[in-house]
Amino acid sequence: DQQVKQNSPSLSVQEGRISILNCDYTNSMFDYFLWYKKYPAEGPTFLISISSIKDKNEDGRFTVFLNKSAKHLSLHIVPSQPGDSAVYFCAAKIGRDSNYQLIWGAGTKLIIKP
Amino acid sequence: NAGVTQTPKFRILKIGQSMTLQCTQDMNHNYMYWYRQDPGMGLKLIYYSVGAGITDKGEVPNGYNVSRSTTEDFPLRLELAAPSQTSVYFCASSARDRSNQPQHFGDGTRLSIL
């Protein structure tokens, strides 16, 4: 059973427009959520995160929204740029201190069209 | 600024062979991790370590072994390679200070078992 789901395998967005990537989760014990970005032949790189006690976190062009009642989070990229074309992973943290784990979604491939 | 370095980048093994995937980090991170990523899936945690001499199983440890003799190195050993172990393997590290520190990833090892 997938505890973290990214239901859109791919998303195509025009350059300059908003990209919205979605992530759903089932476990209410997750206390922290992270988004990672991955280019081909490279490892994932950390993008932005949000604590479960907040509903929004912003960092430049990237904003993550968390709706705990719906167990849903989304990543907004405004404006979208060609360099944003990558696979985006949502990950959720469970556990405390040294005994935590990250549960990962399957990823969404974002394609920014010129 | 090397970060997390994984070797080799690619490898083809025959069924029953053994090999060690190398991982080293130069950020003085206490926490290190091994993940595997199968096509269309999220990352799955194989083993992790919270410091030299300490290792623990993740979600999918069967068929693998690890050791952590130094802070820098965290090798992953496959003793009897099986086709089900065909995957992309990522090593990651994070600082110890707080559990919400993001993980830093290597560029992965693509392993095929034939």
Side-chain angles (χ1 to χ4, degrees):
Chain A
D1 63 330
Q2 287 184 283
Q3 297 188 68
V4 177
K5 293 183 182 179
Q6 294 178 257
N7 291 317
S8 298
S10 65
L11 175 67
S12 186
V13 174
Q14 203 72 38
E15 180 179 357
R17 306 293 288 269
I18 183 171
S19 295
I20 300 176
L21 296 100
N22 294 305
C23 179
D24 295 297
Y25 63 95
T26 57
N27 193 333
S28 58
M29 297 301 291
F30 291 142
D31 62 354
Y32 206 76
F33 301 89
L34 305 94
W35 284 93
Y36 280 79
K37 175 180 179 179
K38 184 184 179 305
Y39 292 118
E42 294 184 9
T45 55
F46 172 72
L47 192 57
I48 192 170
S49 61
I50 187 167
S51 166
S52 61
I53 63 173
K54 299 193 174 181
D55 55 18
K56 179 182 175 180
N57 188 28
E58 200 169 349
D59 183 1
R61 297 186 297 115
F62 303 92
T63 303
V64 56
F65 296 92
L66 175 61
N67 182 334
K68 284 188 69 176
S69 61
K71 293 189 175 67
H72 176 83
L73 66 156
S74 60
L75 174 68
H76 292 213
I77 306 173
V78 183
S80 300
Q81 298 175 353
D84 297 331
S85 294
V87 177
Y88 289 78
F89 290 98
C90 169
K93 186 179 81 68
I94 189 165
R96 295 183 64 82
D97 299 323
S98 64
N99 292 316
Y100 81 95
Q101 288 196 17
L102 291 182
I103 309 299
W104 295 73
T108 296
K109 184 177 184 178
L110 177 64
I111 301 164
I112 305 301
K113 299 179 292 185
Chain B
N1 188 10
V4 179
T5 302
Q6 291 184 239
T7 56
K9 293 190 184 301
F10 305 96
R11 184 74 185 266
I12 298 174
L13 282 182
K14 293 182 179 178
I15 296 172
Q17 286 186 319
S18 62
M19 79 163 293
T20 300
L21 282 66
Q22 301 292 345
C23 175
T24 187
Q25 53 94 7
D26 62 359
M27 296 174 283
N28 201 33
H29 285 167
N30 284 90
Y31 290 13
M32 294 189 75
Y33 316 83
W34 273 106
Y35 291 93
R36 60 178 286 173
Q37 186 192 11
D38 299 327
M41 305 288 287
L43 279 69
K44 302 281 188 186
L45 183 65
I46 305 171
Y47 270 96
Y48 67 101
S49 169
V50 300
I54 306 169
T55 62
D56 211 342
K57 295 178 181 179
E59 187 180 355
V60 289
N62 292 343
Y64 307 94
N65 279 300
V66 293
S67 60
R68 185 95 183 271
S69 57
T70 67
T71 299
E72 295 78 21
D73 300 306
F74 190 40
L76 177 72
R77 178 86 178 159
L78 282 72
E79 290 294 350
L80 287 170
S84 61
Q85 294 177 306
T86 293
S87 190
V88 181
Y89 291 84
F90 290 102
C91 178
S93 71
S94 65
R96 179 181 179 177
D97 296 335
R98 293 174 300 172
S99 62
N100 293 333
Q101 290 291 320
Q103 296 178 11
H104 300 261
F105 284 80
D107 287 341
T109 294
R110 186 176 296 274
L111 181 63
S112 295
I113 316 295
L114 303 176

